[in-house]
Amino acid sequence: MQRASRAASIGIVAPTLCETATVSPPDLPPGEPSLMLLPFAGPVESRMSSKIAPFQTMDASSVPKHFEAAEAELRWDRCWEEWGTYRYDPSRPRAETFVVDTPPPTVSGSLHIGHAFSFTHTDFLVRFHRMRGMNVFYPMGWDDNGVPTERRVQNYFHVRCDPAAPHDPNLQLEPANAKLRKRRPREVSRQNFIELCHLITQEDEKAFHEVWRRMALSVDWTQTYATIDDHCRMLAQWSFRDLFEKGHVYNVDAPFMWDVDFQMALAQADIEDRQQAGAYCDIEFGVEGGNEGFVIATTRPELLPACVGVTAHPEDERYRNFFGKKAITPLFRVPVPIFPSELADPEKGTGILMVCTFGDSTDVDWWRQHQLESRQLLGRNGRLIEVEFGSEAFPSLDPDAANRFYGELVGKRVAQARAAVTEQLADPSGSATGNGAPLQGAPRPIEHAVKFYEKGDNPLEFVQTRQWFVRLLDKKRELLEQGERIEWHPDFMKVRYRDWTEGLQLDWCISRQRYFGVPIPVWYPLDDAGERDYANPIVADREQLPIDPMSDVPTGYTPEQRDQPGGFSGERDIFDTWFTSSLTPEIGSHWTLDDDRHAKLFPADVRPQSHEIIRTWAFYTILKALLHENEIPWRHVLISGWVLDPDRKKMSKSLGNVQTPLPIIERHSADAVRYWAGIARLGVDTATDEKVFKVGKRLSTKIFNAGKFVLSQTAEVHPITAELDRAFVQKLSDLVERSTRDFEAFQHASVLKETESFFWTHFTDTYLELVKARARAEGEDEAAARGSAVAALRLGLDVLLRLLAPFLPYITEEVWSWVFAQEKGERSIHRAPWPSGENFRGIDPPANSGSFDVAVACWTAINKSKADAEVSMGRDALNLTIAANPQTLSLLDPVLADVLAAGRCRAHQLAESADLDDGVFEILDAEFAPKPE
RNA sequence: UGGCACGUAGCUCAGCGGGAGAGCGCCGCCUUGACACGGCGGAGGUCGGCGGUUCGAAACCGCCCGUGCCAACCA
């Protein structure tokens, strides 16, 4: 309390903080919360210099010995929030606005250090532009939708969604324990399931929120959205309606990629290839009207009952005679056409193969092109369905045998059916030619690529279902052009986008057979027989949105008409989660809701993201902006690399090597973690490294101590006139110029490295030491020299703090608050202007541009002579002979007094030594004072 | 198999047409008044390999080797 009242009377930053100081934040322990919350405000003597305006110093002894990062992080976070330091100002014009299309993290995914890494990259740039005077729009979104959340709810509560189950309005569930997990999952209604999803995402959001605050992401927290909230659902559904009206979406009933475990359709972007062990089975087929046969090689013998054709290359001599005839499948004795196809590769397998409904996408092509029969045997759950051979749909020359064989397969999953069929094929009774067992020899093991859903555990199948699509194959050229209009950082990442776009083979399947997400806002009229009219869907009106077609009713119908002949039926599917997240720029800009805001915030300036989702998030966002507004969604894309574990493996949940940010922050401080992220360039994968965190921590400690020293120099400031001071300022001015240029070019890592290097090499290790004595020189006639040093020291600290502020927001704010906050009239350094030529106006350049380096070289030579003599640097030199060539000695002259003072040199001689190189000094005949008792 | 990126000191990386660099680690020394959560000094590399362009290549070009990522490869 005493501290608080004193600060108030001194009035640095205290007036605004008094309120803060009286508020006990809920997340701090009780005790002395008011003290904890007060930014340090040591005693300040306010003086007016006759030469340079308001000037304050502080008493270094009043500053704590060490910087307590954890305490400061909580304290400053509260201040920034109270001050609205990061608030977007909607009244300012577009030209002054800098817009970020922030990635909404999947909140039910694991929060790891990689998130902190890439989000911090964005924050560096944001803070730079804010200090440059831009009005920053930096929102935060949460991605709640989709499979990860459903999975998490299923595991957390040990439940499954059963759409047929009745809703339980009083459902209360605890997290499942081990005992509960042994039982079958509890089945809950669709609505209950969705409520559980909401519950868990809210909890997960808090975890992210806490880490973001602690990392000092300068987000405007008043601009927050969640992909499941009304605003996002409305815009996603409106997006669908707009695309529908423009003719870009359609629904079709066709064979498509299907995950048998999730039981949902997928888009090309959701698929990955995995190397799998498989085996070629060589199977003899018969040919109708004889006992001839041929052998096909297949890795999917279980699809034999679904065989609808056989094909070989038209030029293949081995099989030419068969074209036009019918093949007879073994076991099931089904006659199927044999036709030529350029797509068959004579080199592969035996050169002749079976076409099934459906083994792969080529099967689908053949099936379409040659109008083959449809004999879909694989059900949506991945098990073989019941069929009757000998019926019209499943003809057979020997229905009894076929049904006997097939009876052993019904209900089996793919892998089980494969084993069973392989066994059956080894039985001669199944032969189509009478030449013994259809299986020729043992299956031959191979490794081959198989398509998987990226989150799935079983290979994809092609299953005929009805799905909604966005047409994109006809828009490749425009999409590629949009990609060219955007600047990619690093630029080679553009290639990823181009390759993906050029390689597109399928339209975007946007319907998903899931529960937690944005419903497709469509109903279907039912005819008199109660069948859905898919050709004439009823798309919800704008005014109705957002809607859930399972509970809301289309205009012109009554609730009683739901699922009645002549009535309507609601679409059950929801959107692919990317359908919503591809609208993040429009979600932030309030597209279609607020034209003025949209004009200011769209297109955005930057989109930060990681490279593995170029094909999804970046691609779909570009697509949406093109189709809705014929625009690019943002001008720049920033691609952060991945975070690897110390063994350089990608951090992922499945590998179990995930590190979470909070323990690292607690151990090393948020600034240290930000430093680690800051030295990594965009697009470069980076390993977590204790050593680097420590370097960051060390830098912030040094800033704390150097700040304490500089601001406690009590001499009045004067114009910067001394040669060494002017030489230092010139170097500083060059640094500002380079840093600004690098930041403008999205090279944050160079800014940090250069500034850090300058801070140590040119500021604390050299300049500060060289002028220390002069800054403390006593006597009236030393006032100008003294004041010049103090002014340059303060200028150096001021500029370096600001250059480092985007990277190390806590320590720079802390030091800023001691004196500069009031002196410069800006309470937060994060609102202070970025350094520029303005800061150096009126300071003359040095007489010699080499003065600084010569001073350092000479001082270093003196230090070396002390090191060689194994005496402390603090020991006085009684007498030194300084040798250098005449040119170098003449450069030394204007800075010699500073060098001698820093070297504690009581007496000296200069010796011309023409054979020494420029800038090189040698110390001869050094004599040091004896070690004091 | 194709595309992209990367290969520089023990480790992590910067440099990308004219001096081979930084931090950490290592060795030696120093309690100094902002800082021992310090400071000073030092050792350490034929810049993956082979060719080419150039007066000059770690850097530019070609080929090769290695690593990573992306994409393709389901008969």
Side-chain angles (χ1 to χ4, degrees):
Chain A
M1 287 306 110
Q2 198 184 347
R3 171 75 67 82
S5 60
R6 188 170 62 175
S9 69
I10 293 159
I12 303 175
V13 276
T16 39
L17 283 165
C18 278
E19 283 180 39
T20 316
T22 58
V23 176
S24 293
D27 49 355
L28 283 178
E32 295 185 279
S34 57
L35 192 75
M36 298 285 285
L37 271 175
L38 186 71
F40 172 76
V44 168
E45 301 169 41
S46 206
R47 307 181 194 181
M48 292 298 289
S49 159
S50 58
K51 304 269 178 1
I52 292 178
F55 166 60
Q56 305 163 348
T57 62
M58 44 172 259
D59 176 1
S61 66
S62 67
V63 177
K65 183 138 178 72
H66 298 304
F67 177 55
E68 299 300 333
E71 171 270 323
E73 284 161 14
L74 297 174
R75 172 158 48 84
W76 284 118
D77 177 59
R78 300 286 300 199
C79 282
W80 294 329
E81 178 169 44
E82 186 175 315
W83 294 347
T85 308
Y86 308 131
R87 203 62 59 77
Y88 164 69
D89 176 359
S91 70
R92 290 177 60 188
R94 176 66 182 102
E96 296 172 9
T97 304
F98 184 79
V99 183
V100 183
D101 178 21
T102 318
T106 304
V107 293
S108 13
S110 58
L111 167 58
H112 66 74
I113 188 71
H115 289 102
F117 179 75
S118 53
F119 275 80
T120 306
H121 283 169
T122 309
D123 193 57
F124 299 145
L125 192 66
V126 160
R127 286 179 180 275
F128 166 67
H129 283 285
R130 187 182 292 112
M131 290 176 78
R132 293 257 278 178
M134 296 297 276
N135 176 32
V136 171
F137 180 74
Y138 187 15
M140 185 55 64
W142 309 117
D143 189 4
D144 318 289
N145 292 340
V147 170
T149 299
E150 292 194 7
R151 256 193 185 173
R152 187 153 146 68
V153 164
Q154 289 175 357
N155 293 335
Y156 192 78
F157 296 111
H158 198 54
V159 296
R160 293 292 177 273
C161 178
D162 175 10
H167 179 238
D168 176 357
N170 300 316
L171 184 71
Q172 294 274 336
L173 290 180
E174 294 292 317
N177 54 29
K179 192 174 147 200
L180 200 64
R181 282 177 201 284
K182 287 194 184 123
R183 293 197 226 135
R184 277 191 49 148
R186 176 174 181 151
E187 293 187 336
V188 299
S189 72
R190 179 183 149 109
Q191 195 180 331
N192 284 128
F193 188 73
I194 290 172
E195 285 165 3
L196 291 173
C197 289
H198 278 291
L199 195 70
I200 214 157
T201 53
Q202 278 166 22
E203 284 305 306
D204 290 336
E205 282 168 20
K206 284 183 198 159
F208 275 85
H209 184 255
E210 188 194 352
V211 171
W212 284 180
R213 294 289 287 257
R214 193 66 185 271
M215 286 296 293
L217 296 187
S218 59
V219 162
D220 181 350
W221 289 100
T222 65
Q223 306 286 344
T224 305
Y225 64 86
T227 54
I228 197 65
D229 68 23
D230 281 356
H231 176 68
C232 294
R233 279 178 17 243
M234 195 285 271
L235 283 178
Q237 292 184 337
W238 174 250
S239 163
F240 177 85
R241 189 179 165 97
D242 189 50
L243 297 181
F244 181 82
E245 285 173 346
K246 289 172 175 165
H248 297 312
V249 294
Y250 63 94
N251 74 78
V252 66
D253 188 15
F256 205 70
M257 293 182 293
W258 182 264
D259 185 286
V260 296
D261 295 320
F262 287 95
Q263 298 197 35
M264 67 171 177
L266 295 157
Q268 190 180 343
D270 307 319
I271 307 307
E272 67 183 23
D273 286 0
R274 294 184 202 161
Q275 286 298 323
Q276 289 274 302
Y280 267 126
C281 292
D282 296 316
I283 302 170
E284 190 192 42
F285 277 50
V287 177
E288 204 170 41
N291 52 7
E292 268 189 300
F294 56 87
V295 175
I296 63 128
T298 180
T299 56
R300 303 211 55 186
E302 74 280 9
L303 291 178
L304 184 61
C307 178
V308 292
V310 165
T311 186
H313 194 271
E315 306 295 321
D316 195 327
E317 293 294 337
R318 295 169 292 180
Y319 308 114
R320 283 176 79 152
N321 296 337
F322 296 143
F323 296 140
K325 294 185 179 171
K326 290 210 165 175
I328 310 295
T329 63
L331 304 183
F332 308 99
R333 306 290 175 96
V334 180
V336 297
I338 307 173
F339 60 91
S341 167
E342 301 277 351
L343 295 176
D345 179 357
E347 302 295 316
K348 220 166 178 182
T350 57
I352 189 163
L353 63 124
M354 65 173 182
V355 178
C356 307
T357 49
F358 296 91
D360 62 20
S361 64
T362 329
D363 276 355
V364 177
D365 293 343
W366 278 315
W367 172 76
R368 282 216 179 96
Q369 201 183 336
H370 297 272
Q371 305 198 336
L372 303 173
E373 298 295 324
S374 186
R375 292 180 196 133
Q376 177 87 51
L377 286 181
L378 200 65
R380 295 184 176 204
N381 59 1
R383 293 177 186 275
L384 294 178
I385 59 170
E386 210 158 313
V387 296
E388 171 83 28
F389 280 88
S391 62
E392 198 183 330
F394 288 85
S396 169
L397 300 180
D398 186 351
D400 289 344
N403 285 321
R404 196 175 65 246
F405 286 121
Y406 191 74
E408 295 174 13
L409 307 179
V410 169
K412 284 190 158 62
R413 301 182 63 112
V414 168
Q416 303 165 319
R418 184 174 300 169
V421 168
T422 309
E423 213 165 287
Q424 290 173 351
L425 286 167
D427 181 348
S429 73
S431 172
T433 59
N435 296 336
L439 186 64
Q440 314 279 300
R444 293 171 285 133
I446 54 155
E447 278 278 317
H448 63 159
V450 181
K451 284 192 195 312
F452 278 74
Y453 173 35
E454 59 182 359
K455 296 185 173 72
D457 299 320
N458 277 298
L460 291 181
E461 298 294 343
F462 279 77
V463 175
Q464 183 149 356
T465 54
R466 181 172 291 278
Q467 305 294 343
W468 281 95
F469 292 85
V470 174
R471 222 183 297 277
L472 27 101
L473 295 181
D474 57 339
K475 302 176 183 79
K476 277 192 192 184
R477 194 179 50 79
E478 289 118 293
L479 286 164
L480 289 166
E481 283 168 7
Q482 299 300 86
E484 292 296 323
R485 292 176 58 198
I486 295 163
E487 285 185 46
W488 300 72
H489 306 274
D491 63 344
F492 62 78
M493 288 295 180
K494 181 162 69 179
V495 177
R496 299 265 178 106
Y497 172 80
R498 199 185 57 210
D499 288 353
W500 175 257
T501 306
E502 283 173 349
L504 282 172
Q505 291 177 3
L506 300 165
D507 285 340
W508 178 15
C509 176
I510 55 169
S511 45
R512 294 290 181 277
Q513 292 66 52
R514 306 245 53 88
Y515 312 104
F516 192 59
V518 180
I520 300 177
V522 161
W523 300 270
Y524 306 96
L526 298 180
D527 64 16
D528 293 341
E531 293 293 319
R532 289 177 166 198
D533 179 1
Y534 287 106
N536 296 292
I538 308 161
V539 181
D541 297 329
R542 173 58 188 253
E543 297 69 32
Q544 292 177 281
L545 302 179
I547 62 133
D548 180 355
M550 296 302 286
S551 52
D552 294 307
V553 176
T555 310
Y557 289 85
T558 63
E560 293 70 34
Q561 289 177 282
R562 182 179 294 276
D563 297 326
Q564 298 302 312
F568 70 93
S569 177
E571 172 62 62
R572 190 181 287 272
D573 291 350
I574 62 170
F575 285 126
D576 176 8
T577 186
W578 296 115
F579 193 84
T580 308
S581 45
S582 56
L583 290 167
T584 50
E586 291 90 347
I587 287 168
S589 72
H590 294 189
W591 173 54
T592 74
L593 296 171
D594 182 340
D595 290 345
D596 184 49
R597 179 179 164 110
H598 184 62
K600 274 184 191 168
L601 301 179
F602 185 92
D605 290 284
V606 295
R607 150 63 71 91
Q609 64 166 80
S610 58
H611 47 72
E612 82 273 19
I613 53 174
I614 289 175
R615 72 183 197 172
T616 47
W617 196 35
F619 175 82
Y620 290 137
T621 309
I622 293 171
L623 175 74
K624 285 284 186 81
L626 173 71
L627 298 185
H628 289 311
E629 301 202 78
N630 195 24
E631 245 307 357
I632 50 172
W634 0 261
R635 297 180 176 87
H636 301 271
V637 182
L638 316 184
I639 308 287
S640 291
W642 282 337
V643 170
L644 312 173
D645 71 11
D647 297 329
R648 304 203 63 75
K649 289 208 178 60
K650 194 199 166 190
M651 224 169 253
S652 74
K653 213 173 183 176
S654 54
L655 283 175
N657 58 354
V658 166
Q659 287 179 280
T660 53
L662 272 180
I664 302 179
I665 297 172
E666 294 286 353
R667 198 157 59 242
H668 301 284
S669 84
D671 280 343
V673 175
R674 291 177 62 102
Y675 170 87
W676 161 76
I679 60 169
R681 291 174 301 152
L682 289 174
V684 175
D685 294 348
T686 302
T688 54
D689 190 342
E690 289 286 313
K691 292 186 299 189
V692 179
F693 297 134
K694 283 187 179 146
V695 172
K697 177 72 180 152
R698 198 168 74 101
L699 174 60
S700 80
T701 300
K702 193 74 172 178
I703 292 168
F704 183 84
N705 287 314
K708 202 158 61 172
F709 171 77
V710 170
L711 295 174
S712 59
Q713 299 308 304
T714 52
E716 288 182 21
V717 296
H718 276 251
I720 294 170
T721 49
E723 174 68 6
L724 185 67
D725 305 339
R726 278 152 48 192
F728 168 74
V729 167
Q730 187 177 55
K731 278 191 182 294
L732 187 65
S733 166
D734 290 346
L735 172 72
V736 166
E737 214 169 281
R738 278 201 307 279
S739 297
T740 307
R741 205 175 48 228
D742 286 345
F743 243 140
E744 283 171 342
F746 299 86
Q747 308 280 351
H748 66 253
S750 319
V751 180
L752 176 55
K753 287 306 281 183
E754 292 241 6
T755 306
E756 179 199 19
S757 168
F758 187 101
F759 175 76
W760 288 101
T761 309
H762 299 315
F763 193 56
T764 61
D765 288 353
T766 53
Y767 179 69
L768 197 147
E769 295 294 340
L770 286 167
V771 297
K772 214 177 225 179
R774 176 152 52 91
R776 286 195 286 241
E778 312 228 332
E780 201 51 42
D781 51 346
E782 298 288 342
R786 195 166 60 214
S788 171
V790 172
L793 281 170
R794 291 170 76 105
L795 179 62
L797 179 68
D798 172 21
V799 167
L800 289 167
L801 282 179
R802 289 196 239 178
L803 292 178
L804 290 168
F807 302 99
L808 311 173
Y810 289 113
I811 187 63
T812 53
E813 187 75 308
E814 184 84 14
V815 176
W816 181 263
S817 73
W818 294 340
V819 165
F820 290 143
Q822 196 191 34
E823 186 176 300
K824 314 278 179 198
E826 182 52 74
R827 61 187 168 183
S828 173
I829 192 172
H830 304 300
R831 283 280 181 181
W834 183 253
S836 69
E838 280 296 297
N839 299 86
F840 311 109
R841 219 162 42 177
I843 303 170
D844 290 334
N848 304 310
S849 60
S851 287
F852 192 89
D853 295 335
V854 161
V856 170
C858 186
W859 184 54
T860 301
I862 295 172
N863 285 341
K864 185 165 159 48
S865 72
K866 289 182 180 174
D868 289 345
E870 299 195 347
V871 303
S872 142
M873 296 301 136
R875 194 89 67 84
D876 282 3
L878 297 177
N879 199 354
L880 292 178
T881 302
I882 301 170
N885 70 32
Q887 165 68 13
T888 305
L889 284 178
S890 75
L891 286 175
L892 180 65
D893 186 54
V895 294
L896 180 60
D898 286 334
V899 172
L900 293 174
R904 291 161 187 266
C905 182
R906 292 194 207 159
H908 73 283
Q909 290 84 42
L910 297 178
E912 290 199 358
S913 179
D915 52 341
L916 287 176
D917 289 343
D918 284 349
V920 174
F921 291 91
E922 259 180 31
I923 304 300
L924 314 167
D925 305 328
E927 186 190 339
F928 301 105
K931 186 171 183 175
E933 290 309 311

